[in-house]
Amino acid sequence: MLLGIDVGGTHTDAVLIHDKGIAAAFKVPTNHDNLMESIDAVLDKVCADVDPASVERVNLSTTLTTNAIVEGKTDPVAVLVAGGPGVDPAHFKLCPDFHVLSGSTDHRGNTVASLNKTELNDAAQACAAKGIRAYAVVGKFSPRNPSLEQSMADAVAPAADVVTMGHELTGRLNFPRRIATAYFNSAAWGMFDGFARAISSSLKARGIEAKVNILKADGGTMPLSLARRHPVESILSGPAASVMGIISMCDIALDSIILDIGGTTTDIAVFASGAPLMEMDGISIGSHPTLVRALLTQSIGVGGDSALSVLGDEIHVGPRRLGPSLAQGGEHPTLIDAFIYLGQSDMGDVQRSKEQFKAFATQRSIRPETLAQRAVDRAVDIIVTASRQLVKTINSKPVYTIHELLEDARIVPKKVYVMGGPAKVFKEPLFKAFKLTIAVPEHHGVANAVGAALTRTTHNVELFADTERLRMHIPSIGLSKTIERDYDLDEAVRDARTQLLNHLRQEGIPSREENTEITHASSFNMIDGSHLAGRNIRVKCQIKPGILHRYKNLLGRLC
């Protein structure tokens, strides 16, 4: 049996899934000051319902990393970079302790200039003197040769709790994005490591001896052990769970808009011909582009518990959440209370909601019916406008799905899928605004937890080969080996697939070759004078995001 847990902005949901579908579902309020309290509460419900020994796998989607970065609750980080000729790395400074060191590697991985040991040791000692325990070290062409990063890491290791080396996160180049990715990974490490230890302890205390995975931004999962090394990959796991939830629940074939309406926010995604879109270059965290691959989503500050306010003639919905609805014991009217007053929802204490909603409206010299209707109209308008703008933005640039680049594609949504706790009450007003078919899955309230439970593990590698130097290496898994001079692109493709699958098996992750795909393969001749000196080969291979093979029979049956 699979256990999926989604720690959302308002509720923490859990589902138990077996081969025939959803066996049980649970929901508790999310305590943002102590997420483990919410997870413990939902685990207690699970263990009261089933034998803990029957749980064979736990997949968790959490807002932890996202919230820590957005709220500035991460650890201080020292960044050491070696760039060499070209743009000054200081232009990409993210923190006060940012040290640009001498030393460089060229685009083929040759060490052009070694690190200055005195300069490196001075930087390491200065950071240690400030008590810094988290470090990120990045070299310009480190995916081609990580030796400079390793030397920097060795210098700071005695004073460090964590050292993120850029080449371990990704084999892609793009020096500025790699700096930002390594920085945020180290910044989030301490908080995530404590959380991971608490999760393991909590599960063990309840007798759940299962594999534990964390949902990633790209719609896949990674083992908790890997997430502890690469916590930055878990950012935006909530929106990713939304996308994977709708994939597992509904058989989507058309261009579509996906709305996950929670208590605090609405996450928007777009499907092209039934496939979710990807941020292939990587998401931005604040104003800093990274190399974290992610499903393309957008979050807006409108949800069922969005607070209502009246300023003059203007009715505002969100982006603040001041607690639960009046119907759930809150002290401030929310969007759900507006639906209740209009007779479109019966969630919670309807009488209390209506009485206090009416008093709120009367104090502001507005009829409660008018306030309720205008609040609903305003919320729907915000959601529809944001959805259409996202589609417009997507249509202005190349479109990547989880499977491929769609050449000259133009997305024209034909259907809207809505999930989340308030999904049903939004169905009719969204239909009137979009003028499109609106689908609400049967288990819409726990769709994210379903998506988390059923998602398979994803991973990717990037292989580099230089037949002149007779070397092939895959930086992200630490592989380097000698090759023959006649090594070619076909061999590189086979090696990338084989090494990716071998690496996952070593991590205890069963993977199928049919789920691998080559996303890039190129070979360039290197000429010395008039002679062929060798070939420069690059191959990228990934496990595609998707649903666990064993549970594919459920696809489209949970809608």
Side-chain angles (χ1 to χ4, degrees), residues 1-6 13-26 46 49-51 54-59 241 244-249 443 446-455 547-548 550-555 557-558:
M1 192 174 295
L2 306 182
L3 172 59
I5 301 175
D6 174 63
D13 301 329
V15 293
L16 285 163
I17 296 180
H18 51 48
D19 291 350
K20 295 181 180 179
I22 297 175
F26 314 91
V46 169
D49 192 80
V50 300
D51 177 6
S54 67
V55 179
E56 61 189 80
R57 169 173 156 147
V58 179
N59 282 2
M244 301 313 294
I246 205 70
I247 286 175
S248 44
M249 285 185 166
H443 302 286
V446 291
N448 282 28
V450 172
L454 292 177
T455 297
I547 302 303
L548 288 165
R550 172 180 160 189
Y551 294 88
K552 282 191 174 181
N553 66 303
L554 297 180
L555 289 177
R557 289 177 46 198
L558 301 176

Side-chain angles (χ1 to χ4, degrees), residues 345-356:
S345 173
D346 59 359
M347 297 170 59
D349 188 338
V350 172
Q351 188 63 30
R352 180 180 190 269
S353 173
K354 286 187 173 183
E355 289 175 358
Q356 295 198 19

